Amino acid sequence: MTEVKMKLNGETRSASVPPETTLLKMLRESFNLTGAKLGCDVGDCGACTVLVDGMSVNACLMLANQVDGREVLTIEGLATVEYLHPVQEAFETFASLQCGFCGPGVIMSAKALLDENPDPTIPEIRDALSGNLCRCTGYTKMIEAIQDAARILRAKEHA
Amino acid sequence: MRGFKVVEARDANHAVALLAELAPSVKVLAGGTDLLVDFKHAPHAPEVVLDITRAEDLKGVSMTDAGLRIGALATHTDIMRSPLVRESLPALVDAAHTIGAVQTRNLGTLGGNLVTCVPSMDSGPTLVALEARVTVAGPGGRRELPLTEFFVGPRKTVLKPDELLVDIIIPKKNVGKPTDFLKFGLRKGQALALVNVASSLWVDPKKTFVEPRIALGAVAPTVIRAPEAEAYLEGKKITPEAMSEAGRIAAGEARPISDFRASAQYRRDLIAVLTRRTLENACARVQDVRPGGSK
Amino acid sequence: MNDKLRVTEKELTQEALRDPTEALRVPVVTPPVPYPIETLVPEVRQQTPAVGQRATRPDGRLHGLGQTRYIDDLTFPGMLHAKIKRAGIASALIKRIDTSEAEAMPGVMAVLTGREIPVNSFGPSLQDQPVLCDERVFHAGDGVAAVAAVTEQIALEALEKIKVEYEPLPAVLDPLEAMKDDAPKVHPPASNIYSHKIIKKGDLEKGFAESDHIFEARFSTQMVEHVPLEPHASIGMWDSNGRLTVYSSLGRITLGRTDIARTLRLPINRVHVVATIVGGNFGGKNEITQEPVVALLAKKTGRPVKAVYSRGEEFTSSTTRHPIIMDYKTGVSRDGRILARQVKLYLDGGAYCSWSETTLGKACILSPGPYNIENVEAEAFVIYTNKTVTGAMRGFGAPQVCFAYESHMDDIAKALGIDPLEIRLRNAFSEGSISPTGQVLHSVVVRESLERAAERYGWQESQS
Ligand SMILES: Cc1cc2nc3c(=O)[nH]c(=O)nc-3n(C[C@H](O)[C@H](O)[C@H](O)COP(=O)(O)OP(=O)(O)OC[C@H]3O[C@@H](n4cnc5c(N)ncnc54)[C@H](O)[C@@H]3O)c2cc1C
């Protein structure tokens, strides 16, 4: 067994897992954080996207052990007690999700993008979402929502 | 995934020592974007996985006496963000940008891409066109060799089970050399290259090609150079006709296969077009950069 | 955007964070729209108020929070994980299955084979699909045995220990080959052609005789997988009174319940099916797959059993879209009016019927296209092959025939030197047109749609 201690959604958490456990499996099974999904298990679909030290990664392609001592943010850590994250808010307003299975991954990718680039162009948003597959909605409403969230975040920044 | 043990290397030397101790039943783990995918489908897992991701000395991009050094553990994102690379060899940024998607680039490393050694690897052609060399460390010490000699065949390199790829060096004389990379896949994101091509060149005051280098990917067992096309261009005046002709020659030098993604003929056509375009784009970059990476 | 919500991205401090196990203070469901909702009842051909408006979804909030529970997010105390061994051979007799080594593995709680299934056949129209093959394998993605174990990995490793001895049989993989009399039968002694439809209108021969030109062409489409992001999954468990509860990502639960009850030989009122939120369906989750397997493994072990398809199984062992070979013969007048059309469709039905009959019907009815044609004959066959099952997928055969008749239309227009838009306008249905099956059509806006699309696209300019 491997001991993994990390900052998970802002809190120090630890787990003891077999060494071959993926980050995704640990999040889902040891911490009950089922927002990140297993879609393809080989890094293609992006449904398992989470942020490690602020960078988006496929949780299915990391070993749990590799996040020891690092910061992990999952969809469950994005909203605060009182408020949704602007991306979550916008995804709701723009009805950017239908079945919703890809949603947590898409939203985490969008969050990583906006952290780095507060005013992304449409091609930049498309590029940022190219690792997230959606089979229902398509991407148009996601792109609109991300642009809207970006506007709100920028307005907050200036206020 | 099947069960295995994980050991962590503190640095390159520690990794080499661990490899010596554990080989051959050990596999090096970098970004895991090839290795873990393989493990999920493989009938056997190795006994031990050597996680090198915490070996800081294998990361980073720096300018050394020998040239531009890229650590084997530098991720594709690291390369895209490196001011040194952006300034002196933007084609490397373009090549890194075509790999998978953001999540894959945040994890996947340059070293992993070269060691996996699939013919369609997207970091290969640019490095080959820039005559990159690699450093390999093993129980007997370190050795340096040209990247083209590092590749042996599809999914095969010269690395022995107890050896580590340490870094990739672009020789000083080629830092700042105008270069261009183009990939053609069936989609923009998350698609393997049907063909990828990189060209590098200098231009002398008489507007002729100097040291043109053309590298082709996904059209032979490993990334290859196109020596006949290069020889044809050497000393020739830069004209659209010469660049088209070089593309045609390069297409003849490759050995593409037909598979479910594309026919050999389609791949040949792509080589001709992509070679011409990379030459044109590299020429257009001549104004941008000068030898040594200084503006 | 709702600006009264002063949304901030707060520092992720412990106090500010919502513990995922704690109740949300952000309401999880958006407040409902106040009733009554005023809606316009549109007159025929009047734009409905819905078009062009943005609709929000009531489940949008939970989706965005990552709190929607899909089936794989559910666990139950003591739950086991099941995996199915796939045949990997297109056509064969099963001589022997040896599960003893798998059963002896630590962590393996039960093994199931086809012979243990009370009624080993199901299907939405023909019951021609075994839950797990017992005597014969019909396509490579068929299940031949299943394992329930304490972890998914142990179940997977146990599958490798199950030895199946096959006697390979000739496989038929091409629908046209499969139609021939001497072709190997997929389900002997039944014919490989398992459904057929013919539609006739007018006098085809007369129509061709009156035509100035006759065009013939063959079109074909490939097999397509739905690839829902959420793989097929189900969980089965029994209560102490012998009632079964099945959680499933199934779309058609009442049909599924019937099939589950039938295969398990249970009265239907003993089966409780809970449809979980579906993570993408597109027609691919319209029938049961492994539900009886989890139910029987749960019965054997007395524990809840969950099974989730791998991405690979999604391709080999769930339904797909029918590949169709489409032969078109069209007679036209010099000015491009269609006088007669004969269509023959050969649907690759794969190993089992699934929703083939529906697909066959719809493809056949729609195959002449949205055009006024006096003389029509459309005939369709669906044929068994030893391939992955084809079934329902978005449009039930309509996209395939649309690809064919519109490609055909372009070829005809080109040959006659008529503008592709113009040839469609000359033939398109209009108000009161009669379809090949004799239906009088209302609210027909083919022409208007085409004209408006052409205008917006700048069709005329693009042609010059
Ligand atoms: C969804 C997806 C999309 C992809 N798209 C592309 C693409 O478009 N183009 C492309 O070229 N590739 C693509 N890849 C492949 C992969 O991402 C790259 O090859 C990546 O660079 C591999 O690096 P890694 O660090 O993840 O390697 P790992 O998976 O960690 O390792 C790969 C191999 O190299 C060995 N290894 C790694 N580092 C060293 C070292 N320093 N010394 C010795 N051995 C070492 C490992 O033992 C293993 O055999 C894709 C992968 C995925 C999952």
Side-chain angles (χ1 to χ4, degrees), chain A residues 42-45 58 61, chain B residues 19 27-38 52 58 72-73 76 98-101 104-105 107-118 120-123 159 163-166 183 190-193 196:
Chain A
V42 290
D44 277 317
C45 77
N58 292 311
L61 291 184
Chain B
L19 279 175
K27 278 301 253 178
V28 172
L29 172 69
T33 60
D34 280 322
L35 194 74
L36 294 186
V37 172
D38 284 350
I52 59 171
L58 288 170
L73 262 186
H76 303 298
T98 68
I99 293 179
T104 340
R105 299 195 286 268
L107 286 174
T109 63
L110 180 59
N113 195 248
L114 299 177
V115 176
T116 299
C117 202
V118 294
S120 63
M121 62 161 80
D122 287 311
S123 46
L159 271 194
E163 284 185 319
L164 189 72
L165 176 63
V166 176
K183 162 179 178 175
Q190 303 274 49
L192 293 187
N196 50 21

Side-chain angles (χ1 to χ4, degrees), chain B residues 5 155 165 172 208 210 267:
Chain B
K5 280 201 291 253
R155 293 190 164 267
L165 176 63
K172 193 135 228 174
T208 63
V210 176
R267 286 196 161 96

Side-chain angles (χ1 to χ4, degrees), chain C residues 117-137:
Chain C
I117 295 169
V119 179
N120 197 7
S121 68
F122 71 94
S125 58
L126 300 180
Q127 278 80 49
D128 57 355
Q129 180 162 4
V131 175
L132 292 174
C133 295
D134 40 31
E135 288 168 2
R136 195 184 169 110
V137 168

Side-chain angles (χ1 to χ4, degrees), chain A residues 41 44 49 56 60 116 127, chain B residues 40 81 97 103 106 190:
Chain A
D41 211 13
D44 277 317
T49 303
S56 64
C60 74
E116 201 192 320
D127 188 48
Chain B
K40 293 189 187 192
R81 290 183 181 175
H97 197 167
Q103 296 95 317
N106 284 345
Q190 303 274 49

Side-chain angles (χ1 to χ4, degrees), chain C residues 60-94:
Chain C
R61 168 109 7 130
L62 269 194
H63 282 356
L65 284 165
Q67 296 291 344
T68 301
R69 299 279 172 234
Y70 300 86
I71 184 162
D72 196 24
D73 303 335
L74 304 176
T75 52
F76 294 91
M79 191 175 80
L80 303 173
H81 300 266
K83 277 280 157 192
I84 295 175
K85 186 174 180 74
R86 302 291 169 188
I89 179 168
S91 179
L93 293 177
I94 299 176

Side-chain angles (χ1 to χ4, degrees), chain A residues 9 28 34 37 39 76 81-82 84 88-89 92-93 95 98-100 111 133 135 148 152 156, chain C residues 1 5-7 9 16-18 25 30 54-55 57 61 63-64 69-70 72-73 226-227 229 311:
Chain A
N9 293 338
R28 292 178 57 85
T34 56
K37 308 291 179 209
E76 289 90 346
V81 176
E82 306 290 347
L84 297 172
Q88 292 172 312
E89 182 78 28
E92 186 181 317
T93 313
Q98 274 186 54
C99 89
K111 147 96 178 148
L133 300 183
R135 293 284 287 169
D148 192 72
I152 295 212
K156 280 268 44 125
Chain C
M1 201 46 217
L5 259 163
R6 295 154 294 113
V7 201
E9 194 190 352
L17 260 172
R18 171 177 48 77
R25 264 186 256 162
T30 37
R54 175 184 296 144
R57 295 176 56 98
R61 168 109 7 130
H63 282 356
R69 299 279 172 234
Y70 300 86
D72 196 24
D73 303 335
H226 314 76
V227 202
L229 273 198
R311 187 51 59 189

Side-chain angles (χ1 to χ4, degrees), chain A residues 8 37 44 75 96 128-129:
Chain A
L8 177 55
K37 308 291 179 209
D44 277 317
I75 187 78
S96 305
L129 295 191

